Amino acid sequence: MPYLGGEEAQRELRRALSNPHVQADPARYRGAVLRVIRLMAQGVDVSGLFPEMVKAGAVPDVVQKKLVSFYVRSQAPRQPQLALLAVNSLRKDCAHPSPAVRGLALRTMCGLRCGGARGTAGCPRPRCPADVRLPSRRMPGIQEYLQQPLVSGLRDKASYVRRVAVLGCAKMVKLQGDCEVDGALVNELYSLLRDQDPIVVVNCLRALEEILKKEGGVVINKPIAHHLLNRMPDLDQWGQSEVLTFLLRYKPRSEDELFDILNLLDGYLKSSSPSVVMAATKLFLVLAREYPDVQTDVLVRVKGPLLSVCTSESRELCFTALCHVRQILRTLPGHFSSHYKKFFCSYSEPHYIKCQKMEVLCELVNDENVQQVLEELKGYCTDVSVELAQGAIFAIANIARTYTEQCVGILTELLGLQQEHITSAVVRAFRDLAWLCPQCTDAVCQALPGCEDTIQDSEGKQALVWLLGTHGEKIPNAPYVLEDFVENVKSETFPAVKMELLTALLRLFLARPAECQDMLGRLLYYCIEEEQDMAVRDRGLFYYRLLQSGVEEVKRVLCSPKSDPSLGLLGDQSKQPVNAWAWEFNTLATVYGRERWALATAQQPVEPSYSCSPYADSRNRDTVLEVHPGTPVSEGNKELLKAHPDAGSLSLIPNVSLTAEQFEKTWLSLDTSCQLSLPWCGLVHADTIQTALRVVHIQTIAMSKAGAQPWKAYLSAQHDSGCLFLTELLHEAADSELQISVKQNEAKPEALQSFISTLRTVLEAVAGLES
Amino acid sequence: MAASALFILDLKGKPLISRNYKGDVGLGEIENFMGVLQQREEEGTLTPVLTYGHVHFLWIKHSNLYLVATTKKNGNASLVFSFLYKVVEVFCEYFKELEEESVRDNFVIVYELLDELMDFGFPQTTDSKIPAGVSVGRGLWGGWGPAQSPPPVMEGPPLRYITQEGNKLDTGRSRVPTTVTNAVSWRSEGIRYKKNEVFIDVIEAVNLLVSASGSVVLSEVLGTIKLKVFLSGMPELRLGLNDRVLFELTGRGKNKSVELEDVKFHQCVRLSRFDNDRTISFIPPDGDFELMSYRLHTQVKPLIWIESIIEKFSHSRVEIMVKAKGQFKKQSVANGVEISVPVPSDADSPKFKTSVGSARYLPERNVVIWSIKSFPGGKEHLMRAHFGLPSVEKEEEEGRPPIAVRFEIPYFTVSGIQVRYMKIIEKSGYQALPWVRYITQSGDYQIRTN
């Protein structure tokens, strides 16, 4: 919204800028330029001053050049014809004796093309259409002007200019769009990896990654990997984190080399920068994927650094670290037990940190610290924040699965406070406990009387009614409490409570018919004759008719088990192997938690998966799995597969048709690129494997009959770059291992790596299902 | 890849500064940020990472500003958060306070700095000596060109990992070929000072958490050694501490020494040498930096012990009695002691009585602050406070904030760490003076109340 007088101001500024007296006085000239920028910041359209401003950039004053550069970058999209004007003087600046000016000119020039998509200096108004217009259609000729200064920028003697030029190359290629990538440029960038300046080196990696993303990004071969390892000490924390991430795709040729690398990088596990610690940990876990002992050792070594991030002053870093601690605890439950006090909440901490800490406390509790942890959690139960208090109660309930007696004691004590939200949460916790740990049912039943007066919310009422119905024979006054509910059913606002009430009363009727018969009649009458909610009415009718068919029939239908202790055990068994999450370590997926990450990214349409890093982006693969609902896979199987998106984004082409003959021919002509074996117990269920593989677009060409010895299968898959993967699975009766050999028709180590990890994930998932 | 775009928003979510580095996330996306934030806040599920559609927002809050980085990738959260904090740090160096006003006043420098800090979504130079200077006339464009300093020699660190077969690698030296690298990225050539000096600050912060029943729940000491370096050329520094491991190595076990845990160094320190023989040797950056940090888990006696009785008589009054005891050496003195005691938010008409120092009531924070300028060790002091309460009680319940204590004890460290020497060697052979200062501070020092 150009404010009043904008035009007037513009006219005046134009006069000032073109006044030779002003131009002769550097201070006044700069002042005029500054005023233009200020106006621009206020949202005034100052694009009309473009020629004058470009001219103002041709002075020796560096500061003024910078100001003009702002102006030019943000205004070029509105003045595409005039932008070429600026290019001319910028090109001149590229030969300026000062490296700062050369760098600035280069960056400005690359920024011109990105102009529209870039931020407009001081004009933060995203709704302005000029800001979001697509850049690539503008100024078609600029490439020729850009190329030469960039190439000489790459060879500039000042590192500052080289840094700018290297990233400038990536910007240029990005804007060229579909054009062929210039091989000479790529080579030049690869050779600049040997540059003296550490930031130039890292920028080269970043630029190459961007330029070559269609081919899977920058290639990290042995010489490059070793070179980067040697340069690590010179880099700053950003560079170190990124190089550690790039090294993820390097596969050491031998065990010795692998351990040399680990030894060389060991210090970074204890870096003072949290992002370097995290990146190093991930690299170690991934490189040592074949050595579980080393992985455990690594996790022990980063314990200290992780703990200090968990107590760091930056809440966000603290939160991130806590999320990672939880991830580690899922594999090594006792890992942080001796440091449990570090996870006690402080009064001023934000809610999200307290919640994470409580979750961590639940997971690291053991015989030694359970007393103190419970004492601490008990303190949180009376917090003024309802969410926190309830969170603490559920945390205690979680611990109750293992330390039942103590926890039920604490929870019972809390009922004495007669606080609405506390009682509700405790009763809900009791319901779950009665279901999971039947041994505590008696204690729970004793604690219940009196709760009905304090509970107001739907969830709490449902839980209470369920408990009264299911364990009513142990609670003397159960019928009377339920009677109160029946009396007040007309004013009950939650249909879910009424449904629960119907079921509970019918169950209790079976146990204590004399006390319940009358009110059951009244409830049924109400539900059928007066209730407005259809679901409740239907449930009422259903029970009415069920009762007509006799008590035996009712018992058969309603007397389901009252507990399922096996469920509680299942939860404990979910110890994940490190390899299931190593690839997700240090990404948003871990911060979100796997389930929520899948949710957060689920609605996204499938993008062509040219992800920046072939591994970092597990999102795409998730989607690939989910957009084929027609695939015939059993539910459990699918769940498992979805839960293991650790392989990164590997895009295999669905429905590749390869005949058995073609397969055989190719198979025989190729050398094995990779061999590995997986632990495998028992027989191979061919159908399960076949369907599971189909989900990730791996076709089964041929397979032995189930039970055949040795059992063999041949698989094929095609990467979206055209590369074929041929695989043989071999299982011999005597072995408890599944041998896997993979061949590929093009040498693509990264693709191979991610293919293998996908294959592993699937096979491990299937193995997990069967054992 | 770190961030597609960076935004600085005011508290209402209006962008003050938008800098789109990459162009793959539209600038308009930021308009969704505030909505998501408020919604999650209402649900009680606010986290530092928020997602709207394809875009992930990683945000921090600093005074009355939100700093938001956006990305579409499954990126590296700790890197982005570290970077945002770095941005705050750099801005603070330039205009003291980073807040809405200073951003508005200095938006040109803000953009200029953002240009230098990040390019195409990747962090670039982030040390505070970034050459920016529209109106700040500091070190404009100094020290360019490739540095030609001698390379730090790379040595293989000692063995740690054993291969699966249990074979140790035969040599400590790495088989990864070492190349000759040069340039110390953290120090440029040609630095000159008239007077060559190094200031060493040994700072120990005490974190303490005492339960309402008076037992120590958590106590730890975080130590940092900070250096201010004003040295010419490319000096080689060596720092000697009374490190227990070193003393045991060299057979001086009987001397007073300190066991350091979880030691972390600035990247300039040669870790391999420290691992080999515990020598802390380095070429320092110029100016201020944190050389190392360590941690002490050994339980120490709380330096200032607090006992409190807070009695609330509903509808009439609150009586507070706080006793503070200095549990450190008699020769030392704690300075600037501030004990903040929570009071109910509806309290009124305060009355205080203190045996030493002064107390004042801060109604906006619902605390009484008892300040004692100097508090010698071994002494015990008392404060009483009396507040009236309205006869009509407030509806909502209040939390129970802890009593917090702030203090500083100069010339004293909890751990007993000592700088034994600081050797400074430069090829021009100048004499340089090292200065050492010890100080113990309160960190997160809290006593819970009933």
Side-chain angles (χ1 to χ4, degrees):
Chain A
M1 29 110 230
Y3 79 122
L4 286 176
E7 261 172 59
E8 184 54 41
Q10 208 181 129
R11 219 170 300 141
E12 194 210 309
L13 278 169
R14 177 174 295 130
R15 263 200 303 277
L17 286 170
S18 43
N19 182 344
H21 295 295
V22 174
Q23 291 177 358
D25 179 352
R28 277 176 74 193
Y29 204 7
R30 193 203 282 190
V33 172
L34 205 57
R35 266 161 61 210
V36 175
I37 306 274
R38 284 208 183 282
L39 278 185
M40 186 168 83
Q42 287 158 8
V44 180
D45 179 13
V46 284
S47 56
L49 297 170
F50 206 88
E52 286 80 12
M53 286 296 277
V54 169
K55 199 174 165 214
V59 293
D61 180 9
V62 181
V63 174
Q64 185 159 328
K65 276 183 192 298
K66 280 197 163 188
L67 291 172
V68 170
S69 155
F70 275 139
Y71 175 88
V72 167
R73 261 187 282 170
S74 54
Q75 297 296 321
R78 299 181 194 195
Q79 297 279 352
Q81 330 74 306
L82 290 176
L84 280 176
L85 262 181
V87 170
N88 234 340
S89 81
L90 288 172
R91 272 177 66 106
K92 246 177 253 163
D93 277 351
C94 284
H96 196 274
S98 156
V101 174
R102 294 200 297 274
L104 178 68
L106 258 185
R107 190 156 46 197
T108 313
M109 249 199 286
C110 301
L112 276 184
R113 293 292 323 262
C114 311
R118 287 186 146 226
T120 37
C123 185
R125 292 183 305 141
R127 59 186 172 282
C128 170
D131 291 342
V132 287
R133 224 184 286 147
L134 281 171
S136 42
R137 292 195 204 116
R138 235 168 296 120
M139 299 191 292
I142 196 168
Q143 242 146 278
E144 293 105 75
Y145 298 100
L146 206 51
Q147 192 126 23
Q148 193 270 325
L150 271 180
V151 170
S152 49
L154 290 177
R155 295 167 193 163
D156 200 288
K157 62 181 190 302
S159 56
Y160 181 74
V161 182
R162 294 200 300 276
R163 293 173 189 174
V164 175
V166 167
L167 286 182
C169 294
K171 294 177 196 168
M172 183 177 75
V173 171
K174 186 177 181 203
L175 295 163
Q176 278 171 352
D178 320 320
C179 293
E180 249 336 82
V181 175
D182 181 3
L185 186 72
V186 171
N187 284 340
E188 180 106 28
L189 286 174
Y190 268 115
S191 67
L192 269 175
L193 285 174
R194 309 252 163 213
D195 197 276
Q196 291 175 326
D197 183 76
I199 297 185
V200 172
V201 175
V202 183
N203 278 356
C204 275
L205 285 173
R206 294 157 167 165
L208 282 168
E209 181 71 23
E210 203 57 39
I211 293 171
L212 300 173
K213 64 181 168 190
K214 286 185 188 163
E215 285 127 70
V218 57
V219 175
I220 309 286
N221 58 19
K222 189 167 174 173
I224 293 180
H226 287 196
H227 169 68
L228 290 176
L229 286 168
N230 279 315
R231 293 304 301 273
M232 278 294 283
D234 308 338
L235 307 178
D236 58 11
Q237 55 162 323
W238 323 115
Q240 289 179 344
S241 318
E242 283 195 66
V243 168
L244 287 169
T245 310
F246 278 113
L247 284 173
L248 281 171
R249 64 179 70 165
Y250 176 64
K251 184 139 178 58
R253 297 289 180 272
S254 68
E255 195 172 84
D256 285 349
E257 193 192 356
L258 168 70
F259 283 95
D260 280 344
I261 292 177
L262 296 187
N263 279 323
L264 206 55
L265 292 178
D266 187 70
Y268 299 99
L269 290 176
K270 306 233 155 174
S271 163
S272 53
S273 148
S275 61
V276 175
V277 173
M278 298 284 209
T281 311
K282 178 171 186 174
L283 179 64
F284 272 59
L285 294 179
V286 169
L287 282 183
R289 60 189 152 237
E290 312 282 339
Y291 307 94
D293 298 349
V294 174
Q295 287 181 326
T296 314
D297 193 24
V298 168
L299 292 176
V300 170
R301 291 174 63 72
V302 294
K303 206 187 226 177
L306 261 181
L307 279 171
S308 58
V309 189
C310 285
T311 46
S312 91
E313 275 178 40
S314 147
R315 295 160 162 190
E316 293 76 12
L317 283 171
C318 176
F319 172 75
T320 316
L322 285 169
C323 295
H324 284 87
V325 165
R326 284 183 59 195
Q327 180 66 270
I328 293 173
L329 280 173
R330 259 166 241 153
T331 300
L332 300 171
H335 200 52
F336 291 92
S337 294
S338 49
H339 300 276
Y340 66 96
K341 283 183 177 173
K342 299 262 177 187
F343 302 102
F344 285 1
C345 301
S346 174
Y347 180 77
S348 50
E349 275 166 350
H351 192 62
Y352 55 78
I353 291 197
K354 290 182 178 167
C355 291
Q356 291 292 335
K357 284 190 168 174
M358 288 198 294
E359 301 262 3
V360 170
L361 282 175
C362 285
E363 283 169 71
L364 51 68
V365 71
N366 64 13
D367 293 352
E368 275 111 67
N369 61 26
V370 62
Q371 205 56 48
Q372 288 87 335
V373 168
L374 284 176
E375 198 62 34
E376 182 71 14
L377 284 174
K378 198 172 127 190
Y380 308 153
C381 292
T382 46
D383 197 277
V384 269
S385 154
V386 172
E387 288 99 7
L388 187 72
Q390 296 196 333
I393 292 169
F394 295 131
I396 295 179
N398 216 336
I399 297 174
R401 295 184 192 183
T402 328
Y403 300 94
T404 312
E405 212 170 300
Q406 283 151 296
C407 296
V408 171
I410 292 177
L411 292 174
T412 311
E413 227 173 275
L414 289 171
L415 288 177
L417 296 171
Q418 302 208 330
Q419 291 276 329
E420 188 187 323
H421 65 276
I422 295 180
T423 309
S424 163
V426 170
V427 171
R428 276 145 70 188
F430 275 164
R431 173 195 51 195
D432 299 345
L433 271 180
W435 182 253
L436 297 173
C437 315
Q439 72 272 21
C440 68
T441 312
D442 288 335
V444 166
C445 290
Q446 274 172 22
L448 277 186
C451 292
E452 65 276 6
D453 301 330
T454 10
I455 298 182
Q456 299 297 325
D457 64 318
S458 164
E459 283 277 334
K461 280 184 184 171
Q462 286 178 56
L464 178 66
V465 170
W466 185 88
L467 278 168
L468 290 171
T470 312
H471 299 289
E473 73 277 4
K474 293 180 186 162
I475 308 168
N477 73 338
Y480 308 102
V481 178
L482 285 184
E483 187 160 23
D484 280 345
F485 275 100
V486 174
E487 294 292 309
N488 300 322
V489 71
K490 275 183 196 158
S491 50
E492 179 58 62
T493 40
F494 309 107
V497 176
K498 295 181 197 168
M499 305 265 264
E500 201 65 66
L501 185 61
L502 268 169
T503 314
L505 195 54
L506 194 54
R507 280 182 148 195
L508 192 62
F509 166 70
L510 296 175
R512 301 163 75 165
E515 292 151 297
C516 298
Q517 189 171 12
D518 179 52
M519 58 171 148
L520 179 62
R522 272 183 285 150
L523 183 63
L524 283 175
Y525 178 83
Y526 167 80
C527 289
I528 296 166
E529 296 294 328
E530 292 175 43
E531 176 57 40
Q532 303 283 317
D533 189 283
M534 273 308 134
V536 178
R537 193 167 164 270
D538 283 352
R539 171 89 50 107
L541 274 172
F542 168 68
Y543 285 151
Y544 179 68
R545 288 175 189 148
L546 188 62
L547 281 165
Q548 284 178 328
S549 59
V551 174
E552 283 316 307
E553 190 62 14
V554 178
K555 276 190 182 154
R556 207 176 60 80
V557 172
L558 272 183
C559 290
S560 46
K562 294 183 174 185
S563 64
D564 187 1
S566 64
L567 265 180
L569 287 177
L570 264 185
D572 295 336
Q573 275 178 351
S574 62
K575 229 194 242 182
Q576 291 173 347
V578 175
N579 286 334
W581 49 263
W583 278 109
E584 273 174 15
F585 199 80
N586 200 22
T587 65
L588 290 179
T590 306
V591 175
Y592 261 100
R594 192 171 269 165
E595 294 77 24
R596 284 183 45 222
W597 175 251
L599 268 182
T601 48
Q603 306 91 342
Q604 303 191 357
V606 196
E607 294 167 32
S609 120
Y610 303 132
S611 58
C612 166
S613 139
Y615 312 114
D617 202 344
S618 66
R619 188 183 65 213
N620 293 331
R621 221 183 64 104
D622 267 358
T623 350
V624 170
L625 282 178
E626 277 161 6
V627 289
H628 298 281
T631 336
V633 171
S634 71
E635 264 319 296
N637 200 348
K638 214 168 169 181
E639 282 303 306
L640 255 170
L641 290 177
K642 263 193 249 170
H644 288 272
D646 59 297
S649 71
L650 169 79
S651 314
L652 295 175
I653 301 173
N655 308 321
V656 184
S657 51
L658 197 66
T659 62
E661 290 77 37
Q662 282 170 319
F663 181 90
E664 200 177 336
K665 220 168 117 193
T666 331
W667 176 263
L668 292 173
S669 69
L670 292 171
D671 293 329
T672 308
S673 359
C674 178
Q675 255 183 324
L676 69 157
S677 57
L678 285 179
W680 196 276
C681 303
L683 289 171
V684 187
H685 290 265
D687 292 347
T688 331
I689 293 190
Q690 197 171 349
T691 36
L693 288 170
R694 212 180 307 153
V695 182
V696 291
H697 306 309
I698 300 176
Q699 269 69 36
T700 315
I701 301 288
M703 210 176 235
S704 320
K705 281 202 189 88
Q709 294 302 341
W711 180 89
K712 273 188 185 183
Y714 289 94
L715 317 170
S716 86
Q718 191 168 16
H719 191 245
D720 61 0
S721 64
C723 175
L724 268 180
F725 297 103
L726 308 181
T727 313
E728 181 194 58
L729 306 179
L730 175 66
H731 181 254
E732 298 203 49
D735 266 356
S736 58
E737 279 186 338
L738 185 71
Q739 307 288 341
I740 305 170
S741 344
V742 182
K743 302 185 177 185
Q744 62 178 155
N745 66 347
E746 290 165 54
K748 291 221 170 104
E750 286 97 58
L752 179 66
Q753 222 165 339
S754 47
F755 172 76
I756 286 171
S757 66
T758 309
L759 187 63
R760 276 183 80 125
T761 314
V762 174
L763 291 173
E764 277 167 0
V766 173
L769 269 185
E770 289 175 3
S771 60
Chain B
M1 117 116 231
S4 292
L6 203 82
F7 299 89
I8 301 180
L9 312 181
D10 65 10
L11 285 182
K12 294 196 189 90
K14 192 169 155 279
L16 300 172
I17 301 285
S18 338
R19 183 74 177 83
N20 198 341
Y21 289 106
K22 199 84 187 254
D24 61 344
V25 177
L27 280 179
E29 295 283 355
I30 194 65
E31 296 195 336
N32 305 318
F33 169 73
M34 216 51 200
V36 182
L37 183 123
Q38 280 163 351
Q39 190 201 339
R40 296 284 296 275
E41 197 158 22
E42 272 166 33
E43 292 168 5
T45 55
L46 190 63
T47 50
V49 185
L50 299 171
T51 301
Y52 183 91
H54 302 226
V55 185
H56 309 295
F57 301 101
L58 290 88
W59 61 279
I60 66 171
K61 200 177 166 193
H62 183 89
S63 66
N64 53 359
L65 296 172
Y66 289 106
L67 279 86
V68 188
T70 57
T71 178
K72 276 185 171 177
K73 301 254 158 70
N74 184 7
N76 173 345
S78 45
L79 180 77
V80 176
F81 287 130
S82 304
F83 180 74
L84 288 178
Y85 275 95
K86 193 73 195 183
V87 169
V88 170
E89 195 186 313
V90 171
F91 284 163
C92 286
E93 292 238 352
Y94 275 85
F95 16 90
K96 296 259 163 21
E97 295 279 306
L98 174 62
E99 53 186 17
E100 193 180 332
E101 274 301 290
S102 60
V103 170
R104 281 189 196 282
D105 291 349
N106 297 292
F107 78 92
V108 177
I109 306 183
V110 171
Y111 274 107
E112 197 181 347
L113 286 173
L114 286 179
D115 241 20
E116 300 293 341
L117 285 168
M118 194 174 241
D119 195 1
F120 207 41
F122 303 112
Q124 302 287 308
T125 340
T126 53
D127 47 30
S128 47
K129 284 161 208 77
I130 297 166
V134 170
S135 47
V136 189
R138 62 153 75 197
L140 206 63
W141 315 105
W144 293 101
Q148 280 129 25
S149 60
V153 184
M154 176 98 127
E155 291 162 50
L159 280 178
R160 277 218 192 77
Y161 297 102
I162 297 171
T163 54
Q164 212 176 29
E165 291 87 54
N167 302 329
K168 283 203 172 180
L169 291 178
D170 48 351
T171 160
R173 281 195 79 82
S174 136
R175 243 161 299 182
V176 176
T178 50
T179 49
V180 179
T181 61
N182 57 358
V184 183
S185 60
W186 54 87
R187 187 179 181 94
S188 46
E189 291 260 298
I191 297 170
R192 287 278 166 271
Y193 286 100
K194 267 191 199 152
K195 200 171 175 188
N196 290 298
E197 288 177 311
V198 184
F199 297 89
I200 308 166
D201 276 315
V202 181
I203 303 165
E204 292 192 341
V206 183
N207 290 343
L208 181 79
L209 183 61
V210 178
S211 74
S213 58
S215 59
V216 176
V217 178
L218 181 66
S219 147
E220 63 172 0
V221 176
L222 298 180
T224 44
I225 297 185
K226 288 186 177 156
L227 258 55
K228 264 193 200 38
V229 179
F230 304 108
L231 295 173
S232 314
M234 278 287 170
E236 268 283 338
L237 270 56
R238 240 167 67 202
L239 178 70
L241 300 172
N242 55 341
D243 172 13
R244 180 163 301 163
V245 182
L246 175 69
F247 276 26
E248 274 162 13
L249 275 177
T250 52
R252 272 178 290 183
K254 278 174 200 154
N255 296 30
K256 208 178 155 205
S257 59
V258 176
E259 191 167 354
L260 305 174
E261 289 172 66
D262 202 5
V263 184
K264 282 189 226 154
F265 290 106
H266 185 268
Q267 78 175 126
C268 66
V269 176
R270 294 183 192 102
L271 292 175
S272 48
R273 290 209 56 185
F274 183 74
D275 284 344
N276 279 335
D277 56 10
R278 304 289 276 194
T279 310
I280 303 170
S281 79
F282 53 100
I283 297 175
D286 192 35
D288 292 16
F289 74 104
E290 188 181 302
L291 178 70
M292 64 181 279
S293 67
Y294 57 89
R295 191 180 281 272
L296 238 63
H297 286 296
T298 38
Q299 190 107 358
V300 286
K301 212 174 184 188
L303 295 171
I304 292 185
W305 183 251
I306 302 283
E307 280 169 40
S308 69
I309 302 171
I310 301 177
E311 279 180 301
K312 196 172 163 184
F313 302 94
S314 286
H315 315 300
S316 72
R317 65 189 197 281
V318 179
E319 303 269 8
I320 297 170
M321 198 277 292
V322 178
K323 193 162 80 179
K325 191 177 175 193
Q327 305 192 114
F328 45 92
K329 279 188 287 184
K330 286 210 171 74
Q331 304 91 296
S332 295
V333 176
N335 290 337
V337 178
E338 276 192 3
I339 302 166
S340 45
V341 185
V343 290
S345 61
D346 50 359
D348 54 44
S349 49
K351 277 179 221 140
F352 310 110
K353 212 196 264 170
T354 55
S355 63
V356 71
S358 64
R360 62 186 196 283
Y361 173 45
L362 297 184
E364 69 278 10
R365 282 174 49 203
N366 298 321
V367 287
V368 181
I369 297 201
W370 176 20
S371 3
I372 304 163
K373 277 218 182 82
S374 86
F375 192 144
K379 287 272 161 41
E380 200 176 288
H381 296 298
L382 206 69
M383 177 196 71
R384 284 176 192 281
H386 174 106
F387 287 89
L389 283 181
S391 50
V392 185
E393 204 160 332
K394 274 213 314 192
E395 283 281 305
E396 73 260 36
E397 240 195 297
E398 281 180 12
R400 293 167 311 243
I403 295 177
V405 185
R406 281 169 58 180
F407 58 86
E408 235 180 51
I409 308 175
Y411 316 111
F412 170 76
T413 53
V414 184
S415 63
I417 193 170
Q418 272 175 350
V419 174
R420 290 166 49 237
Y421 59 82
M422 167 69 99
K423 287 189 182 143
I424 301 157
I425 302 155
E426 215 275 337
K427 55 177 183 276
S428 67
Y430 58 71
Q431 286 294 310
L433 287 175
W435 303 89
V436 191
R437 200 161 61 160
Y438 300 95
I439 199 162
T440 295
Q441 295 175 336
S442 55
D444 190 12
Y445 201 98
Q446 299 190 344
I447 295 98
R448 289 182 179 165
T449 54
N450 264 323

